[in-house]
């Protein structure tokens, strides 16, 4: 079983839709959870960061963590064509220098 | 504010040729520095990380090496490239201490070995 599983998609939605992106993990030592957005041929940029179970909201983005189920989600409300990118989940163990990334979900928002 | 510079953006090299990719960070001191490789369908793979000058840790054995000659400079090298070295190479930095899990990436180098 891989440490982090992420549905690769691709996912195509109409503009204005609510998008749900998900990752599951197997290592219960993971305590920090992140979502990165990566545009084509660019480096990933940190979108959301959280370390506790529950929801964290930032504008149209909500990160959700359920440590008991080992499941994290990113919700995008009122999706825009500019949200078209690959979304990577990442997580880490406290004190470790290594992040474990999902393989990414490619999202296309159609105008 | 902090910025990270990585160059070149694209590189085409023949098999057996040497490689040198450079990364510099501005606006912060004593950052942790990282080299990642992203291959199609394989996700991000950590190659090297450094917590200080001349302190390099290798995560994956291969024909690549890394050096950190200055606090905010990180270099990825190879003496002889292989076809399997093709990929998208990313430099990243993080702060020291409790925020070291937040990575900030450069714009990447697309390396094609032919």
């Amino acid at each position: 079983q891989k440490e982090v599983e992420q549905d690769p998609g691709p996912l195509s939605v109409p503009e204005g839709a609510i998008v749900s992106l998900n990752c599951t993990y197997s290592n219960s030592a993971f305590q920090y959870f992140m979502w990165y957005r990566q545009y084509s041929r660019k480096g990933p940029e940190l979108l959301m960061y959280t370390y506790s179970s529950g929801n964290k909201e930032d504008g149209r983005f909500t990160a959700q963590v359920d440590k008991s189920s080992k499941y994290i989600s990113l919700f995008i409300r009122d999706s825009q064509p500019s949200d078209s990118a690959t979304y990577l989940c990442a997580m880490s163990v406290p004190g470790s220098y290594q992040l474990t990334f999902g393989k990414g979900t490619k999202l296309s928002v159609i105008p | 504010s902090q910025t990270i510079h990585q160059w070149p953006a694209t590189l085409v090299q023949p098999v057996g040729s040497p490689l040198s990719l450079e990364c510099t960070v501005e606006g912060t001191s004593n950052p942790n520095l990282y080299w990642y490789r992203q291959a199609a369908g394989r996700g991000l793979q950590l190659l090297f990380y450094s917590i200080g000058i001349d302190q390099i840790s290798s995560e994956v054995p291969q024909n690549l090496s890394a050096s950190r000659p200055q606090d905010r400079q990180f270099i990825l090298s190879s003496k002889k490239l292989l076809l399997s070295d093709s990929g998208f190479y990313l430099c990243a930095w993080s702060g020291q201490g409790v925020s070291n899990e937040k990575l900030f990436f450069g714009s990447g180098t697309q390396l094609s070995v032919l």
Side-chain angles (χ1 to χ4, degrees):
Chain A
Q1 181 184 13
K2 296 178 182 176
E3 275 198 300
V4 178
E5 301 269 9
Q6 183 176 7
D7 188 340
L11 184 62
S12 184
V13 302
E15 183 176 354
I18 296 175
V19 177
S20 173
L21 303 167
N22 311 295
C23 287
T24 59
Y25 62 96
S26 58
N27 187 352
S28 57
F30 288 142
Q31 295 296 319
Y32 300 119
F33 305 92
M34 288 137 280
W35 286 95
Y36 285 82
R37 177 175 62 194
Q38 185 176 22
Y39 292 112
S40 181
R41 301 179 186 273
K42 299 293 184 185
E45 58 176 321
L46 182 62
L47 202 57
M48 298 286 285
Y49 164 82
T50 184
Y51 53 86
S52 58
S53 284
N55 294 349
K56 180 177 181 179
E57 190 174 319
D58 184 1
R60 296 185 295 108
F61 299 90
T62 299
Q64 186 177 79
V65 174
D66 183 345
K67 291 185 180 180
S68 62
S69 300
K70 297 189 180 67
Y71 188 91
I72 68 171
S73 299
L74 177 70
F75 298 97
I76 307 174
R77 291 185 300 279
D78 187 24
S79 56
Q80 302 295 308
S82 58
D83 295 328
S84 298
T86 296
Y87 290 80
L88 302 159
C89 64
M91 43 201 80
S92 69
V93 174
S96 169
Y97 291 100
Q98 175 154 199
L99 266 65
T100 301
F101 285 86
K103 291 188 178 180
T105 299
K106 186 173 183 179
L107 171 67
S108 296
V109 181
I110 311 302
Chain B
S1 64
Q2 301 89 359
T3 56
I4 179 168
H5 302 280
Q6 187 180 344
W7 66 93
T10 59
L11 192 59
V12 180
Q13 293 284 95
V15 169
S17 64
L19 172 74
S20 180
L21 301 180
E22 189 166 340
C23 170
T24 59
V25 180
E26 296 179 356
T28 186
S29 296
N30 198 25
N32 295 328
L33 296 173
Y34 308 79
W35 279 110
Y36 279 83
R37 178 170 59 201
Q38 188 175 35
R42 297 186 61 182
L44 279 161
Q45 179 186 38
L46 178 64
L47 302 175
F48 300 94
Y49 70 89
S50 171
I51 62 172
I53 294 175
D54 294 330
Q55 300 179 67
I56 312 289
S57 296
S58 173
E59 291 295 313
V60 182
Q62 58 215 318
N63 71 322
L64 299 172
S65 62
S67 61
R68 184 172 177 173
Q70 299 180 41
D71 180 46
R72 290 171 291 175
Q73 183 185 28
F74 206 23
I75 298 172
L76 183 69
S77 303
S78 174
K79 292 182 179 178
K80 288 186 176 182
L81 284 169
L82 307 173
L83 287 174
S84 58
D85 292 324
S86 294
F88 192 48
Y89 287 82
L90 290 155
C91 181
W93 74 273
S94 68
Q96 292 285 344
V98 296
S99 295
N100 66 355
E101 66 283 347
K102 291 184 183 179
L103 288 184
F104 300 94
F105 287 88
S107 54
T109 296
Q110 183 64 53
L111 172 65
S112 299
V113 182
L114 305 176

